[in-house]
Amino acid sequence: PQPAPVFDAVKASSTRGYDTDSTNGEIVYYYPRYAVDGDMRTAWTPDRDVDSYEPSITITANDEQYVTGIRMTNGYCKSEKTYTKNRRITKVRISYDGGEKIASFSKDNYQNMIEVEFDEPVYTDYITITVLESVDGGWHDIAISEIEAY
């Protein structure tokens, strides 16, 4: 068996600055690294103007990793209210060395990691997830709480 892939850096096409949580007045940030921190209560969120571009987030590694797919959330899983009020991703393009995969999924996957298995295992030092479609929940923020490669 191959060792689990390790992607140790992350960057995004854009990142929303911050918000103030209306329930407790706490400042909430949306850094790209929050999509790989193992905490469903944090998330990466791109700029709100998502209708003018396709936001993306890329995880990278120093060396090529053996990858058979990814798992990801399609929203901000801090709470059920936060999840349903924010936009939820329903279609992505996943790009990596040697290929890409288009994946569509249900908007209702609160705190579930959605698996997208590649057509065949690959060796890659990056994986980019580009948001192609999302469903509005009332607030205009797209979010990904977690991404992991396997």
Side-chain angles (χ1 to χ4, degrees):
Q2 294 285 332
V6 176
F7 289 86
D8 48 13
V10 61
K11 63 183 178 179
S13 59
S14 68
T15 300
R16 184 157 171 240
Y18 64 89
D19 259 337
T20 303
D21 188 318
S22 61
T23 59
N24 60 17
E26 186 177 290
I27 300 293
V28 179
Y29 295 94
Y30 303 101
Y31 302 121
R33 72 176 182 264
Y34 286 168
V36 295
D37 67 356
D39 186 350
M40 288 278 193
R41 296 168 300 169
T42 62
W44 162 69
T45 300
D47 289 336
R48 283 185 167 165
D49 191 19
V50 296
D51 293 329
S52 66
Y53 75 107
E54 295 173 340
S56 65
I57 187 166
T58 302
I59 56 176
T60 61
N62 289 330
D63 301 309
E64 287 189 333
Q65 304 291 307
Y66 182 82
V67 181
T68 57
I70 65 157
R71 294 178 191 94
M72 63 172 278
T73 61
N74 71 343
Y76 191 2
C77 296
K78 176 179 172 179
S79 70
E80 197 161 355
K81 176 185 176 188
T82 304
Y83 179 79
T84 56
K85 292 297 280 182
N86 279 290
R87 293 181 81 94
R88 279 152 293 152
I89 299 165
T90 55
K91 187 174 184 180
V92 296
R93 178 177 49 248
I94 302 163
S95 308
Y96 43 85
D97 279 335
E100 69 178 33
K101 172 113 181 175
I102 303 293
S104 298
F105 30 81
S106 160
K107 69 181 174 96
D108 296 318
N109 283 290
Y110 176 59
Q111 291 192 333
N112 291 327
M113 295 290 278
I114 300 162
E115 275 196 21
V116 179
E117 189 169 329
F118 297 166
D119 295 333
E120 59 186 1
V122 298
Y123 284 94
T124 185
D125 61 358
Y126 77 93
I127 299 171
T128 299
I129 299 169
T130 303
V131 179
L132 301 177
E133 294 177 8
S134 61
V135 175
D136 198 336
W139 298 341
H140 298 290
D141 299 331
I142 288 174
I144 295 177
S145 292
E146 288 302 314
I147 301 167
E148 60 184 44
Y150 64 90

